Amino acid sequence: MKHFLDIHKTDPSDLRGMIDQARVMKDARAGKPKGTPDAEQPLANHMVALIFEKPSTRTRVSFDVGVRQMGGQTMVLSGSEMQLGHGETIADTARVLSRYVDLIMMRTFEETTLLEMAEYATVPVINGLTDRTHPCQIMADIMTYEEHRGPIAGKKVVWSGDGNNVCASLIHAAGQFGFDITFTGPQTLDPEAEFLALANSKGVSATIERDPMKAAEGADLIVTDTWVSMHDPQSAKERRHNQLRGYQINDRLMARANPDALFMHCLPAHREDEVTSDVMDGPHSVVFDEAENRLHAQKAVMRWCLGV
């Protein structure tokens, strides 16, 4: 049984296989109407539980559509409906769900909730997001970069802003896919030191550069995310804006990167905060390809977990 919990916990050859299969499945769908099932139906007679303690648009739709395209069925469950860990324990929930479904995708707050689900489930568990990491997003990002520019190995990737869960998974990916990564942002929002150390231990360069203009020099890809969470109180939002204002992605910063550099954002974006509309809608941006590729990358992840 194979869980997909984090990029650094998955063998690089398996990660590469998922990216390659995602590209094949996307190409096979080219030109077909959106609702058309895949020619292959690898998830036929499979039931997938999609658990959302956190609200979602892209994760919910992309997983749901992906399962249906591959011939499977979904059961969408919210945290409020399940009362995860409040009534029945997470361990018991995992044991019970495993009797009903073939695969569990979970989008939750605490990483410990995901890990406990995986420990006690007897079916594969996929990390749809935790407060600590977001591996499915980064699989889509790697796929998107390579669609546009070829192999990401050896390239320079810059993350600007908050060293959050998406940033963490991008750092994990650096070590697994062989690209260098530079974080630029305020010290109070640095990514976890152990993640940077892990990437460096795998032979890539994972560094911090406080000056965003210097960080962007020679970049092949620049990535950012929203500065605030929907759950943050207003005082926290104001504090984060003050801290991060100097790390906005704008034309001046993109001009420091390589001429063919790409820009990514996992969305939703707050235009004119972390990124200007000129960049979002400009020639460097591949944000909507990136959003689409969540569907294809996650289909490949599900197939890998189930071995189909």
Side-chain angles (χ1 to χ4, degrees):
M1 184 175 61
K2 295 179 288 191
H3 299 304
F4 185 73
L5 302 180
D6 272 313
I7 287 177
H8 67 299
K9 297 177 181 177
T10 309
D11 188 270
S13 64
D14 289 331
L15 295 169
R16 172 51 57 194
M18 287 181 244
I19 296 293
D20 292 345
Q21 185 169 63
R23 292 281 300 274
V24 168
M25 288 190 290
K26 181 177 182 179
D27 290 346
R29 291 195 60 81
K32 294 181 180 178
K34 294 292 186 290
T36 305
D38 289 1
E40 284 187 272
Q41 295 282 276
L43 264 61
N45 302 315
H46 286 76
M47 176 65 73
V48 180
L50 306 177
I51 301 173
F52 293 95
E53 282 201 292
K54 274 192 168 185
S56 167
T57 300
R58 275 153 293 278
T59 299
R60 176 168 179 164
V61 174
S62 57
F63 267 106
D64 199 349
V65 170
V67 172
R68 293 167 189 258
Q69 285 182 353
M70 294 190 293
Q73 298 184 63
T74 60
M75 177 182 297
V76 181
L77 303 165
S78 72
S80 60
E81 291 170 330
M82 301 183 68
Q83 293 294 305
L84 274 171
H86 299 296
E88 184 175 60
T89 65
I90 294 165
D92 285 351
T93 299
R95 293 182 180 107
V96 170
L97 278 179
S98 297
R99 302 294 181 101
Y100 301 146
V101 304
D102 303 289
L103 177 66
I104 297 168
M105 188 288 302
M106 176 173 247
R107 182 179 173 95
T108 188
F109 293 91
E110 297 293 331
E111 183 184 54
T112 54
T113 303
L114 172 80
L115 297 179
E116 188 171 356
M117 181 69 73
E119 180 180 357
Y120 290 97
T122 55
V123 299
V125 174
I126 294 174
N127 177 0
L129 173 144
T130 70
D131 285 346
R132 199 176 188 209
T133 59
H134 195 0
C136 287
Q137 177 63 55
I138 299 306
M139 291 296 284
D141 292 358
I142 301 298
M143 177 184 175
T144 305
Y145 183 87
E146 296 195 340
E147 272 186 333
H148 287 268
R149 297 289 185 264
I152 197 168
K155 301 300 184 180
K156 178 182 177 180
V157 177
V158 173
W159 176 279
S160 182
D162 178 7
N164 63 9
N165 51 0
V166 186
C167 177
S169 288
L170 188 63
I171 295 169
H172 291 158
Q176 299 294 70
F177 287 94
F179 59 85
D180 296 332
I181 184 162
T182 299
F183 169 83
T184 187
Q187 185 174 359
T188 51
L189 298 174
D190 277 354
E192 293 184 41
E194 70 175 89
F195 294 162
L196 294 168
L198 178 62
N200 282 311
S201 74
K202 296 193 175 186
V204 301
S205 172
T207 59
I208 293 176
E209 170 54 61
R210 297 295 172 209
D211 182 342
M213 293 297 169
K214 186 174 180 181
E217 290 176 1
D220 299 293
L221 170 62
I222 294 181
V223 191
T224 192
D225 195 2
T226 179
W227 289 345
V228 297
S229 167
M230 66 184 78
H231 307 287
D232 289 340
Q234 186 59 37
S235 59
K237 292 179 181 179
E238 292 173 1
R239 186 165 59 251
R240 279 176 169 266
H241 273 81
N242 291 334
Q243 288 180 291
L244 289 162
R245 205 175 306 280
Y247 297 94
Q248 182 190 70
I249 311 301
N250 51 40
D251 285 337
R252 193 164 63 93
L253 186 138
M254 288 301 303
R256 294 294 188 100
N258 286 336
D260 64 346
L262 299 179
F263 167 74
M264 293 188 193
H265 188 308
C266 69
L267 304 180
H270 294 81
R271 290 168 180 256
E272 313 312 328
D273 283 348
E274 70 269 12
V275 59
T276 62
S277 290
D278 286 345
V279 172
M280 272 281 289
D281 300 325
H284 299 284
S285 177
V286 290
V287 296
F288 298 110
D289 290 343
E290 181 188 4
E292 178 190 346
N293 284 339
R294 286 288 301 276
L295 169 65
H296 308 296
Q298 288 163 184
K299 286 165 69 174
V301 170
M302 288 187 280
R303 292 190 67 170
W304 175 80
C305 285
L306 291 168
V308 295

